[in-house]
Amino acid sequence: MLSAVVVAIGTAMSAFWILSANSWMHTPAGHEMRDGVAFPVDWWAIVFNPSFPYRIAHMLNASYRTAGFVVLAVSCRYLLKGDHVEEARIMLHMAIGLLVVLAPLQILIGDLHGLNTLKHQPTKVAAMEAHWDSSKPDDFHIFAWPDAKAEKNHFEISIPHGLSLILTHQWNGLIPGLKDVPPNDRPPLVTVFFAFRIMIAIGFFMAAAAVFGAFLWWRGKLFETRWYLLVMAQTWWMGFIAVIAGWVVTESGRQPWLVQGILRTADATSPVIGPAIAVIFALFVVVYSIVFSAGIYFINRLIVKGLDAAAADEPAILLGGTLAAAGKTTKGA
Ligand code: HEM
């Protein structure tokens, strides 16, 4: 238990610094430019740059709820199979208890995150929403196919004035559009637009699933509602996909900048020849495909197998237990 807590604190501290550095590249602050080079002048402003508080809150919440959905799905599988029922009930209660708070909270944090992005990186928000014209209020596009060449969207299904209402809280509120910047200053539209929708759709599904689970718990029907357990048993992967989609939005959305307004990605490339990069990239793809497939296979096997009998026994060494008892169990093992 203690090691789990220490790992959780350690990874949160690691996330703090990674996200601070990453956020600085989105919303640089606390520096001054001399001959095209950024020099630090205020470390507080650098570490706590404008997008950092939103990003760390959003990312930590994303990680905890991703883990929460894994626990939720595993507990549902056990309940459906009638395996480890006592443990599964505790797991399900713990997961729902955590997720009913975190999942709706993520929508709120995400909304604030988006408003902050609108202030500092309006072109990214315009790309997320495939919004072209800053002189017109914008609809919220549930679906569209953004066409960068024609500078318009095809097949739009939209909620009229939806985006103006979300981002400005006004019916006719105006938001900067993609046409405000030249075409070579715009991010890859289709990627950002769809990745954003995947993240949001999963976010709303997760929130609805957690709130409904809490409702069933309140009505005393959580363990008996078979269709809910059946659906939830399949959802362990959802958080991972939403996290990847979120990062695709964030990182593709800041293109063509590596450091917003300071350094373009094209100017930051190192003088390594193309084929060398291609070989390294191919190696990454091969190695990670093997590692990820093996990881997914192994995790799935662990879930299917469940707690083995030895692990489910009393712990071998209890705090305050006798040395003799510990020795006996260790020998037995
Ligand atoms: C449902 C409502 C959600 C909203 C309104 C929302 C909003 C946003 C916005 C606006 C960004 C981009 C910020 C930027 O690049 O400046 C973002 C990024 C991100 N989102 Fe979401 N999000 C939601 C749900 C989720 C969910 C469910 C997850 C994962 C479980 C998630 C994980 C992420 C991650 C990992 C990033 C990249 C890191 C970051 O910039 O914070 N989001 N989200």
Side-chain angles (χ1 to χ4, degrees):
M1 173 69 185
L2 202 61
S3 33
V5 172
V6 171
V7 170
I9 295 173
T11 44
M13 282 163 66
S14 162
F16 180 99
W17 291 111
I18 292 170
L19 292 173
S20 173
N22 179 277
S23 295
W24 188 84
M25 299 201 290
H26 290 271
T27 51
H31 64 284
E32 79 183 12
M33 298 300 294
R34 283 182 239 142
D35 298 329
V37 178
F39 286 87
V41 287
D42 179 349
W43 280 105
W44 281 107
I46 290 170
V47 174
F48 295 96
N49 60 78
S51 64
F52 173 61
Y54 301 96
R55 207 176 311 278
I56 191 160
H58 199 61
M59 182 62 214
L60 287 184
N61 189 320
S63 309
Y64 298 147
R65 72 194 289 195
T66 298
F69 261 80
V70 175
V71 174
L72 180 71
V74 173
S75 64
C76 291
R77 286 186 187 199
Y78 290 163
L79 283 174
L80 287 165
K81 276 207 305 184
D83 270 357
H84 317 299
V85 171
E86 207 182 317
E87 289 86 353
R89 289 183 170 198
I90 298 173
M91 283 163 72
L92 187 53
H93 275 163
M94 284 175 72
I96 296 274
L98 180 81
L99 292 169
V100 75
V101 178
L102 291 190
L105 187 67
Q106 184 77 329
I107 299 178
L108 184 72
I109 300 171
D111 181 47
L112 297 173
H113 199 4
L115 290 176
N116 184 67
T117 311
L118 179 66
K119 189 167 160 198
H120 297 279
Q121 295 176 296
T123 312
K124 189 197 274 183
V125 174
M128 285 178 201
E129 305 297 351
H131 173 52
W132 290 98
D133 206 331
S134 54
S135 64
K136 291 187 191 140
D138 196 26
D139 307 338
F140 179 77
H141 309 306
I142 298 167
F143 182 86
W145 189 265
D147 184 339
K149 251 196 187 146
E151 299 196 326
K152 66 176 191 177
N153 301 328
H154 304 288
F155 318 114
E156 275 180 8
I157 303 172
S158 311
I159 301 171
H161 295 255
L163 199 67
S164 296
L165 280 172
I166 295 172
L167 292 177
T168 66
H169 302 155
Q170 284 168 23
W171 183 250
N172 282 324
L174 297 181
I175 310 138
L178 286 161
K179 287 184 189 166
D180 288 6
V181 294
N184 63 351
D185 277 359
R186 296 174 196 162
L189 284 182
V190 175
T191 318
V192 178
F193 180 82
F194 284 107
F196 187 63
R197 266 140 198 80
I198 291 171
M199 176 185 69
I200 298 276
I202 294 181
F204 277 99
F205 174 84
M206 283 174 144
V211 171
F212 190 69
F215 171 76
L216 290 175
W217 183 359
W218 173 57
R219 304 298 307 204
K221 290 190 178 148
L222 183 57
F223 304 133
E224 290 84 51
T225 311
R226 216 179 137 72
W227 70 263
Y228 179 77
L229 301 181
L230 271 170
V231 174
M232 289 301 114
Q234 313 308 324
T235 56
W236 68 269
W237 50 271
M238 282 199 152
F240 297 99
I241 299 294
V243 166
I244 294 170
W247 278 113
V248 169
V249 173
T250 296
E251 299 304 332
S252 307
R254 77 168 137 162
Q255 300 307 318
W257 297 101
L258 190 71
V259 181
Q260 184 72 39
I262 295 182
L263 180 66
R264 279 176 179 269
T265 310
D267 297 331
T269 50
S270 42
V272 183
I273 52 164
I277 297 281
V279 171
I280 293 168
F281 183 69
L283 280 176
F284 266 108
V285 172
V286 171
V287 171
Y288 274 93
S289 302
I290 295 170
V291 170
F292 276 128
S293 323
I296 288 172
Y297 171 76
F298 185 64
I299 291 170
N300 213 41
R301 229 182 56 163
L302 277 180
I303 295 173
V304 171
K305 193 166 154 237
L307 304 161
D308 63 16
D313 278 352
E314 284 295 298
I317 303 173
L318 293 168
L319 286 181
T322 62
L323 260 183
K328 208 172 92 194
T329 327
T330 320
K331 241 186 261 162

